[in-house]
Structures are given as C-alpha cells and as structure tokens.
Amino acid sequence: MGSPVVMGLMKLIVFGVLGLLVFLDVPSFCNGGSTSSFIRKDEKAVDLPLDSDVFRVPPGYNAPQQVHITQGDHVGKGVIISWVTMDEPGSNMVLYWRSKSKQKFQKKGTVTSYKFYNYTSGYIHHCTIKHLEYDTLYFYEVGIGHTPRQFWFRTPPSIGPDVPYTFGLIGDLGQSFDSNWTLSHYESNPNGQTVLFVGDLSYADTYPFHDNVRWDTWGRFVERSAAYQPWIWTAGNHEIDFDPEIGETVPFKPYTHRYHVPYKASESTSPFWYSIKRASAYIIVLASYSAYGKYTPQYFWLESELPKVNRSETPWLIVLMHSPWYNSYNYHYMEGETMRVMYEAWFVKYKVDVVFAGHVHAYERSERVSNIAYNIVNAKCSPVPDESAPVYITIGDGGNLEGLATNMTEPQPHYSAYREASFGHAIFYIKNRTHAYYSWHRNQDGDAVVADSMWFYNRYWNPLNESTKSYS
Ligand SMILES: *[C@@H]1O[C@H](CO)[C@@H](O)[C@H](O)[C@H]1NC(C)=O
Ligand SMILES: *[C@@H]1O[C@H](CO)[C@@H](O)[C@H](O)[C@H]1NC(C)=O
Ligand SMILES: *[C@@H]1O[C@H](CO)[C@@H](O)[C@H](O)[C@H]1NC(C)=O
Ligand SMILES: *[C@@H]1O[C@H](CO)[C@@H](O)[C@H](O)[C@H]1NC(C)=O
Ligand SMILES: *[C@@H]1O[C@H](CO)[C@@H](O)[C@H](O)[C@H]1NC(C)=O
Ligand SMILES: *[C@@H]1O[C@H](CO)[C@@H](O)[C@H](O)[C@H]1NC(C)=O
Ligand SMILES: [Fe+2]
C-alpha cells in the first residue's frame, strides 16, 4: 500500500470520475487510535545468566525437571504431562489422584531424546492421560523410583456456553530478566487458568550453534507455572532451529521433541496446527511457518475445521498464530500478509472473536476491521470497519533478549486502536456467552499495570459495536 494520496491518484487514473468518489471514501489515515505516551526506559533486555535461581536444577538423583503440562485431548478431559531426566531414562510412569481421594492411578508414557550439533538432550518424557473428571483438582507425581516430585493441576469445567474461564496470554517470552518479570506478573494475577502461548519460547537459537542448553534452562524457568496449568503451544520462528551451516536441517527438531500437543484429537496431521475446546472457548492454533496456501494440509484442515465450531456449545472462537496480520510497527511489517490473504475471509465468515499473535516485541490491539474486498482490479485494498471481523491483538512482548520493537509506522493507521512498546502479558476473562473482559498489563518498575482493556462482545451471540472510535 502506498500513501493515501498516491493511492487516490492511482484510483483517479484508473476509474476517472468514479475514482474520485472512491478517493473521497478512503478512510483517513489521520484517524488512528492511540499510541501510548508511556515511554519505557530503552534498556536492552539481558538474558539471565546460567547460574540464575530460576534455572536451578532440582536436587536428587535423576530428578525430573522442566515439568510442563498441556491439554491432552479435544475436550479438556485429557492432559499431556512432560518432563526431562538427565542421568538416565528412569521411569516413564505418572502417578495421579484426585485431591480428596486415596485411590492412585498410573499411566505409562514414552521417552525420547535427540542430538543437535554437539548437544545431546536429556531423556524427554511425555505421558498423555485421558478421561479425567471435569473441574477437579488432581495431584501428580513423576520421577518414580529415583527422586519423585509432586505437582497439581485443575481440569477445566465441562464444556458449555456460559462457563466462565480465564486465559493468560504470553508471547515471545525468552529467558531474560524482563521475561522473569512478565512471568512473575502473570503468576501474581490469581485468575489465569491456562496460558495461550503465541510462539517463540526459549530463543536458544540466538546462541552459537543454537546452544540447546538454553532449551533446558527455559524449561526449568517456566516450570513454576507450566507444571501447574496447561500452556497451549503455538510454534514461532525461533522454534524452527534450521541451520544447514552446522548440519541441522530438520526444522523444529528441539521444539517437537520437547513440546507435544494433542493435534490428532482435532484430526490435524501436524503438531503445528490443531484445535481444542476448553470451557466456553474453541481455540484454533495456526502455523505461520508451515505451508498454508491452497491445497496444503493446513488449508484443507482449516477449511473443514471452521464449520465444526458450534457456537451454542463454545461461543468464543479464538485463533492463535505467531506472525500478526495487522501490525503497525516497522518490525515484521506485512510478514503475516500472505496468510491473511489466504484465510481472512474465513475469519469474517465464521465470526472469529479474537486473534492473538506474537512475533512483534510490543503490544497492539486493532479495531474490528477486514480487508477482503480486493480482487486485483478493483483497488479496494484498505482495511474497512467490519463488525464480523476479529479484533487482532499482538502480544509478542514477553521480554526476550532481542528487546522491544519501538519503531512504529506514522501516523498510526486507522485499524490500530492502541499500541505501546512495553513488555507485559494479557488476560482474557470469559464471563458468559455474550461478554468477555480483556486487559493488558505492562511491566512497569516491577509492577504489573493495566495499560489497555476492553469488553469483548461475542460476535455470534452479542455482535454489538464495542468500539469507541468514530470512522466518520
Ligand atoms: C560444542 O561446540 C562448541 C563450539 O565448538 C563448544 O564451544 C562447546 O563447548 C561444545 N559443546 C559440547 C557439549 O561439546
Ligand atoms: C525471578 O522472579 C522470581 C519471582 O518473582 C524471583 O524469586 C527470582 O529471584 C527472580 N530471578 C531473577 C534472576 O531475577
Ligand atoms: C451444538 O451444540 C448444542 C449445545 O451443546 C447442541 O444442542 C447442538 O445439537 C449442537 N449442534 C450440532 C449441529 O452439533
Ligand atoms: C524506523 O523504520 C523505518 C522503516 O523501516 C526506517 O526508515 C527508520 O529509519 C526507522 N527509524 C529508526 C529510528 O530506527
Ligand atoms: C454476562 O456477563 C456480563 C458481564 O459480567 C453481565 O453484564 C451480563 O448480565 C451477563 N449475562 C447474563 C445472561 O448473565
Ligand atoms: C461504533 O460506536 C462508536 C461510538 O459509539 C461510533 O463512533 C462508531 O461509528 C461505531 N462504529 C461502527 C462501525 O458502527
Ligand atoms: Fe517471532
């Protein structure tokens, strides 16, 4: 897209008098949303040193470490429990029991390991437990036979349209001092029940030879949250770990060995795109770094997936991806464009409520806009207000060592409602089928401060205009 003036001139030439009308109709680019006046101290984010407290190896022979859980089936009655042992494979067994019950169950998992350049991983265990009871506190134990460690989680309530549920949103976390603030702030908010993680986990690939020791430190860092509540994974570009110079040509090798997702339960053929239902939400995870063009497996999957969403059962339709479609920073600008062109019309047709992405190391929330009218010759290539369109939120501000994206396109485009270059996290509180409350919390001087918030009106049950912005 050129400037409005250049576009207007082009349209004049193409359409003559008709073009003049179109030109007058172009939304004003001076009518953007707000750019926060909060200016964060522009310090480079620094990775935590290897001997940091948050990377401490749990004591004891072959003690399980890097414990994390995610949803293990399509409906929330399953969990995948993963952990790493370093000295020897040890037991694959998980013991688990309901909080008020003496009866213990056990389930045997699998173990794997991988090599990356001159790094050899520990023994990576995954165990999928199914048919749990809804809304129940479970304890579990891993490291059986050597150094057992105990954790707990609560299963989500049974799926239903008015079930309140609260999701945390974190992206591009990394393992810097800022990452530790973001995670601490998320933990200090008692409401978050499940993390929707929008990609870029460890940033191990920023080290020489992608030093995979940094995948291990990251696993130990997030254990304090990820062992107790599911983190729903999305693959970002830092998960690709492709490096022919050092002979590593299998993309996503560390990520796919370490982080399992229940993709088969949604009839996906790949762990990079899948869906889950949880409480009143239907969550679709897409892959910015897998093929998404027409005739690709992801395209076919999404095409048959969207009609399956039953809004009477799960009113809230949420999409996660790594690379944002609407982004007005100068970083990664338009990287999500080709995927937007493929799928945006579907998101409008199926009334997706909200799309969360990461990648850009800053925060941004869009108006409900779409840009699906363009057909090469009609010159309709500007986003327009669209009450059936999702709100696009960029939340790639977890705090990784690459630092903040501070350079924004000026003036603020009309599709951008709020933007701010600060680290932080967000919370999406579903109240019932019609209302959800959303808040973004910036990391400021050690505290989490609500810097942006809005009431979401469900696009299926309550498709009212939530915007306070006038397009006139
Ligand atoms: C891997 O190779 C790098 C560079 O040659 C070296 O610095 C590092 O110590 C090696 N690591 C292991 C585990 O051998
Ligand atoms: C990370 O945050 C935790 C919890 O706030 C704190 O206990 C720990 O000391 C922090 N670690 C570092 C290295 O900042
Ligand atoms: C959608 O979900 C509702 C509520 O669970 C159910 O009654 C209805 O049969 C479902 N519709 C379809 C087409 O499955
Ligand atoms: C911001 O990004 C624009 C476009 O990439 C570039 O021309 C400009 O020099 C950048 N400004 C700063 C201060 O980095
Ligand atoms: C849904 O939640 C909103 C916000 O809490 C509330 O105002 C509204 O009354 C609720 N609707 C129903 C039907 O309970
Ligand atoms: C939404 O409501 C705002 C404030 O009431 C109004 O200015 C704006 O024009 C409305 N937008 C649409 C697309 O109707
Ligand atoms: Fe990224």
Side-chain angles (χ1 to χ4, degrees):
M1 272 188 313
S3 74
V5 175
V6 171
M7 274 175 51
L9 285 173
M10 277 166 49
K11 285 171 183 167
L12 270 175
I13 293 160
V14 175
F15 293 102
V17 177
L18 184 68
L20 182 61
L21 299 172
V22 174
F23 175 51
L24 293 174
D25 219 33
V26 169
S28 163
F29 275 74
C30 305
N31 191 23
S34 58
T35 297
S36 172
S37 57
F38 178 78
I39 305 292
R40 184 184 176 275
K41 273 181 288 180
D42 197 14
E43 292 159 347
K44 186 109 182 88
V46 176
D47 261 4
L48 293 158
L50 288 173
D51 61 359
S52 299
D53 51 1
V54 295
F55 297 154
R56 206 176 287 137
V57 174
Y61 178 74
N62 212 31
Q65 54 168 269
Q66 306 174 47
V67 181
H68 56 268
I69 63 172
T70 194
Q71 185 160 318
D73 67 357
H74 201 233
V75 297
K77 296 177 84 168
V79 65
I80 302 174
I81 297 175
S82 307
W83 71 97
V84 178
T85 51
M86 288 297 191
D87 303 313
E88 57 171 291
S91 173
N92 286 338
M93 193 78 80
V94 175
L95 287 179
Y96 62 100
W97 60 96
R98 277 170 305 207
S99 67
K100 290 189 186 85
S101 164
K102 295 242 175 327
Q103 189 188 5
K104 290 197 178 176
F105 303 92
Q106 58 181 51
K107 182 77 196 288
K108 217 167 152 35
T110 58
V111 64
T112 184
S113 65
Y114 71 94
K115 287 189 195 307
F116 193 98
Y117 185 57
N118 62 356
Y119 167 93
T120 304
S121 77
Y123 304 96
I124 303 168
H125 304 255
H126 300 284
C127 180
T128 303
I129 298 170
K130 290 187 178 163
H131 311 298
L132 297 168
E133 285 170 34
Y134 279 127
D135 204 8
T136 301
L137 180 62
Y138 281 90
F139 288 88
Y140 69 97
E141 194 171 290
V142 291
I144 312 299
H146 288 142
T147 304
R149 292 181 67 206
Q150 244 184 52
F151 305 88
W152 51 263
F153 61 84
R154 178 173 279 284
T155 50
S158 164
I159 289 167
D162 293 299
V163 181
Y165 202 74
T166 303
F167 293 99
L169 278 309
I170 302 179
D172 303 63
L173 185 58
Q175 45 191 301
S176 73
F177 287 91
D178 293 285
S179 320
N180 196 36
W181 281 123
T182 302
L183 186 57
S184 302
H185 290 160
Y186 174 63
E187 290 174 300
S188 67
N189 186 326
N191 298 303
Q193 293 170 289
T194 290
V195 171
L196 305 179
F197 191 87
V198 292
D200 284 356
L201 285 64
S202 75
Y203 288 75
D205 63 345
T206 58
Y207 284 84
F209 312 102
H210 301 216
D211 187 359
N212 274 221
V213 165
R214 285 283 174 175
W215 273 107
D216 291 314
T217 52
W218 196 80
R220 295 198 292 271
F221 163 49
V222 299
E223 181 190 274
R224 70 188 206 237
S225 170
Y228 299 93
Q229 59 174 257
W231 284 40
I232 307 304
W233 303 110
T234 310
N237 54 307
H238 287 279
E239 278 65 76
I240 301 174
D241 278 309
F242 172 81
D243 194 342
E245 268 179 40
I246 62 174
E248 289 299 342
T249 55
V250 179
F252 300 103
K253 194 200 252 182
Y255 176 67
T256 51
H257 280 83
R258 291 166 183 273
Y259 295 92
H260 279 192
V261 299
Y263 66 96
K264 288 178 185 155
S266 55
E267 284 150 43
S268 165
T269 48
S270 157
F272 307 118
W273 59 88
Y274 63 101
S275 70
I276 57 165
K277 301 183 206 180
R278 202 164 177 88
S280 43
Y282 200 104
I283 295 157
I284 293 180
V285 178
L286 293 182
S288 300
Y289 306 101
S290 303
Y292 44 74
K294 200 157 181 177
Y295 315 117
T296 61
Q298 182 168 208
Y299 183 99
F300 282 133
W301 178 82
L302 186 60
E303 187 179 37
S304 64
E305 176 70 7
L306 284 164
K308 291 180 191 166
V309 181
N310 179 348
R311 304 295 274 271
S312 298
E313 194 190 28
T314 50
W316 293 93
L317 179 51
I318 299 172
V319 176
L320 312 182
M321 61 179 67
H322 187 62
S323 188
W325 293 356
Y326 286 94
N327 156 35
S328 73
Y329 289 83
N330 283 324
Y331 300 84
H332 305 307
Y333 186 61
M334 288 182 77
E335 281 181 21
E337 188 66 3
T338 48
M339 191 194 229
R340 183 188 69 73
V341 169
M342 293 312 300
Y343 295 153
E344 187 180 20
W346 289 350
F347 283 20
V348 173
K349 177 176 177 194
Y350 292 100
K351 300 185 192 302
V352 171
D353 289 293
V354 58
V355 176
F356 292 106
H359 202 35
V360 179
H361 300 157
Y363 174 73
E364 185 163 26
R365 172 172 58 82
S366 81
E367 296 290 341
R368 290 197 186 276
V369 290
S370 69
N371 189 359
I372 53 178
Y374 181 59
N375 68 1
I376 297 196
V377 291
N378 66 2
K380 293 184 180 169
C381 56
S382 286
V384 292
D386 187 338
E387 293 298 307
S388 294
V391 169
Y392 294 90
I393 290 174
T394 303
I395 180 103
D397 57 348
N400 68 80
L401 81 168
E402 289 177 346
L404 279 167
T406 49
N407 187 349
M408 307 172 185
T409 60
E410 300 293 355
Q412 186 165 12
H414 64 89
Y415 60 77
S416 172
Y418 183 91
R419 57 185 189 175
E420 179 178 324
S422 292
F423 293 127
H425 76 278
I427 305 272
F428 194 75
Y429 305 80
I430 297 175
K431 304 288 184 187
N432 53 36
R433 75 182 70 190
T434 54
H435 287 69
Y437 184 70
Y438 166 80
S439 59
W440 174 66
H441 306 254
R442 88 160 68 98
N443 296 347
Q444 184 185 327
D445 301 332
D447 297 316
V449 175
V450 178
D452 182 39
S453 65
M454 87 175 243
W455 276 100
F456 272 77
Y457 300 151
N458 185 272
R459 287 303 94 185
Y460 183 87
W461 290 102
N462 189 28
L464 302 172
N465 170 13
E466 318 108 321
S467 177
T468 50
K469 191 178 142 215
S470 157
Y471 285 91
S472 59

